[in-house]
Amino acid sequence: MYHSRRDSHGVRKNVPRINANFARPVFLVNIAQLLTLRSGQSGPRRGLQLRELGLIEDGAVLCGGGKIISVGKTSQALRDPWIRRNRTQIVEIDCSGKVVLPGFIDAHTHPAFLQPRLTDFEKRIVGATYTEIALSGGGIRSSVEAVRRAKRKELADKVLRALRDLASQGTTTIEAKSGYGLSLDAELKSLEAIRSAASRWPGTVVPTLLGAHVVPRELQDRPQEYVQLVCEQMIPAAAKRKLARFVDVFCDRGAFGEEDSLKIAQAARHQGFGLRAHISQLTRTSLERLLALRPTSLDHLDHVNEEDISLLARSETIATLVPGANYFLGLGDYPPARKLIDAGAAVALATDYNPGSSPVTSMPFVLSLASTQMRMTPAEVIAAATINGAHSLGLASRKGSIDPGKDADLALFDLADYREIAYWVGKNFSSGVIAGGELIAYPNRCRELTARRSVD
Ligand SMILES: [Zn+2]
């Protein structure tokens, strides 16, 4: 059975109804720990605010029409006259012994590729560096040929599989970049594949044009020609066809220098795109000039110095950290999350899912890395992966907390204490994922979770 609706980009969604019951209001009760992430403020969480989870024990959430309707204690909810009157019409889910929180918001992924990069993986294990691998023909450019040859449908199926894998571990909103096409046609095809996959997946996808990932091999000696192609053809074409909400640029050694990155960012601004950038991952670039363009998010930030940190802290830009890349590249050092948070920067966490440096689809694993390697507390990692992730995508008015009126995007974990989400490693405790009020994934204990009607 299919039904049709439009998402925020006007993309018509033909979504298979996994459970037709979910057209009806959904009522989650007896939640051991409900993390609402509610707060009185509208901006992203900074400093100590990052530890405020709005925890309700024995909580309840009522969802209807794809939105959160009410949030509170189970005992209060059961006294609510509307719920009492309509209880036989409501799909009720017993969440005893579970943690429920807003679905994770993964604000940085690269799902538009076809194959894993296993040769690079082996070379790195025996000692080659990221730059050496790129120079020997591996790295980002080695994913390009297959993407250029691929049919859009083939690429879309790969993207859809990634969306489902990410969702199976609690993620309901995913930013998805192009960036392995590196020609006008192949970048537009990648964005179309992302749009096609998004139309078949009930969660929310935010598409980003990353034509400026690296200079393609055929223009290696004429990088200015490629910058011109990105600014004068790719960005206007993506704008005209409404294929992306953001433009991203990889500003680092081996990719684009500061001047070219600014040129690309300005072209994107001119066409009305939001801005994000990969920056200071391998070497430091001063953030001052890029921040002046008010990017929504700057990502990686491994090599920021005190001056950059204080500029970020005074800006509205989100610092999106992706420790999966540090883990997979075996770097040892991680982005300075503690310094960023303590200085007042707004930190978010994301997977950076990609075939070269972070084949990671698990937000709980990223939360574990952020806790053990970056000294973020188990509460901070959750706020960074939900409400601050929503800010990183400009979606905080709709997503990132369990507030009446926001989208009914929820992650259920078969754990009694939220601190366990970042504690256990390598096992998926996700027991159900609700996006727009519909159950979209139920990786574990699905029988236990099977929605049932109340009989009283
Ligand atoms: Zn990335």
Side-chain angles (χ1 to χ4, degrees):
M1 185 196 290
Y2 286 80
H3 71 290
S4 192
R5 63 183 165 91
R6 284 183 186 278
D7 73 2
S8 57
H9 310 290
V11 177
R12 183 169 287 283
K13 286 179 170 283
N14 290 307
V15 179
R17 275 203 186 136
I18 292 170
N19 184 339
N21 283 334
F22 277 76
R24 295 187 295 158
V26 178
F27 184 37
L28 283 73
V29 286
N30 307 321
I31 303 165
Q33 291 188 338
L34 171 63
L35 312 183
T36 66
L37 276 295
R38 295 172 76 174
S39 78
Q41 59 170 66
S42 59
R45 300 293 175 84
R46 299 171 189 273
L48 291 174
Q49 297 164 347
L50 206 59
R51 299 182 184 190
E52 294 166 14
L53 299 181
L55 191 155
I56 300 174
E57 288 182 343
D58 196 17
V61 183
L62 177 67
C63 311
K67 301 286 180 188
I68 308 284
I69 295 174
S70 65
V71 183
K73 286 262 190 198
T74 297
S75 54
Q76 288 167 336
L78 293 175
R79 286 198 297 273
D80 180 279
W82 188 90
I83 288 176
R84 288 168 72 113
R85 230 180 8 259
N86 293 285
R87 206 158 165 203
T88 54
Q89 306 302 315
I90 296 172
V91 177
E92 194 169 307
I93 300 175
D94 180 11
C95 295
S96 304
K98 294 186 195 301
V99 174
V100 174
L101 66 156
F104 292 126
I105 303 209
D106 191 346
H108 184 141
T109 83
H110 304 250
F113 65 90
L114 291 165
Q115 299 297 336
R117 292 214 295 264
L118 302 175
T119 308
D120 295 3
F121 181 51
E122 284 184 323
K123 280 187 181 170
R124 191 175 303 109
I125 289 164
V126 296
T129 66
Y130 183 94
T131 308
E132 285 164 357
I133 288 169
L135 289 174
S136 69
I140 293 164
R141 291 186 186 94
S142 65
S143 291
V144 168
E145 277 317 305
V147 167
R148 286 182 178 176
R149 275 199 310 270
K151 295 259 188 294
R152 189 182 66 190
K153 165 88 168 64
E154 190 185 356
L155 199 50
D157 288 347
K158 285 283 183 187
V159 175
L160 181 59
R161 183 171 160 186
L163 300 178
R164 289 176 174 158
D165 287 348
L166 289 150
S168 72
Q169 309 201 45
T171 300
T172 52
T173 297
I174 297 166
E175 185 260 12
K177 305 175 199 294
S178 66
Y180 297 109
L182 307 184
S183 69
L184 177 63
D185 288 349
E187 284 296 308
L188 295 179
K189 178 175 70 182
S190 299
L191 290 172
E192 286 167 355
I194 289 168
R195 176 148 83 179
S196 162
S199 74
R200 289 184 274 154
W201 185 67
T204 300
V205 176
V206 177
T208 294
L209 170 66
L210 179 58
H213 203 178
V214 288
V215 175
R217 200 169 279 139
E218 67 274 14
L219 290 175
Q220 224 162 348
D221 302 328
R222 294 168 288 152
Q224 285 311 310
E225 272 184 43
Y226 189 65
V227 173
Q228 206 174 348
L229 173 74
V230 171
C231 293
E232 295 176 13
Q233 295 188 47
M234 267 183 211
I235 291 174
K240 193 171 172 205
R241 294 171 56 186
K242 295 188 168 47
L243 283 170
R245 190 186 292 183
F246 289 96
V247 166
D248 194 339
V249 54
F250 188 6
C251 177
D252 219 316
R253 181 180 65 207
F256 295 88
E258 188 180 3
E259 293 303 324
D260 288 338
S261 299
L262 288 165
K263 213 183 277 182
I264 290 159
Q266 274 153 351
R269 263 281 175 263
H270 185 67
Q271 293 285 346
F273 285 106
L275 297 180
R276 39 206 328 114
H278 291 62
I279 193 160
S280 295
Q281 177 187 7
L282 308 167
T283 53
R284 175 178 176 255
T285 304
S286 166
L287 303 186
E288 192 173 3
R289 293 167 75 200
L290 200 51
L291 278 173
L293 293 173
R294 302 171 68 86
T296 308
S297 178
L298 293 182
D299 300 14
H300 284 284
L301 303 170
D302 296 64
H303 293 278
V304 287
N305 68 10
E306 300 296 328
E307 185 192 328
D308 300 323
I309 291 173
S310 106
L311 284 171
L312 265 172
R314 281 182 275 136
S315 76
E316 294 298 306
T317 299
I318 307 296
T320 301
L321 308 181
V322 290
N326 301 65
Y327 162 79
F328 189 76
L329 295 175
L331 296 179
D333 289 332
Y334 281 76
R338 206 59 271 153
K339 282 187 180 173
L340 285 159
I341 294 166
D342 295 344
V347 166
L349 290 167
T351 60
D352 192 13
Y353 171 67
N354 79 77
S357 63
S358 187
V360 173
T361 53
S362 167
M363 281 296 275
F365 177 58
V366 171
L367 271 49
S368 171
L369 286 176
S371 289
T372 59
Q373 308 301 311
M374 290 160 31
R375 307 282 166 220
M376 290 174 69
T377 70
E380 288 174 334
V381 296
I382 285 176
T386 55
I387 187 66
N388 277 11
H391 281 285
S392 175
L393 296 177
L395 290 177
S397 62
R398 279 174 50 202
K399 296 182 184 288
S401 64
I402 304 178
D403 264 308
K406 283 198 173 182
D407 294 350
D409 294 350
L410 305 167
L412 285 59
F413 282 88
D414 199 14
L415 298 166
D417 187 311
Y418 73 85
R419 293 172 296 183
E420 293 179 86
I421 295 173
Y423 175 87
W424 300 107
V425 183
K427 178 175 172 184
N428 185 8
F429 283 92
S430 171
S431 59
V433 181
I434 293 172
E438 293 181 46
L439 189 65
I440 65 166
Y442 33 89
N444 298 320
R445 312 250 178 153
C446 58
R447 230 174 296 147
E448 183 188 315
L449 235 193
T450 301
R452 57 182 171 78
R453 285 175 68 164
S454 172
V455 287
D456 57 326

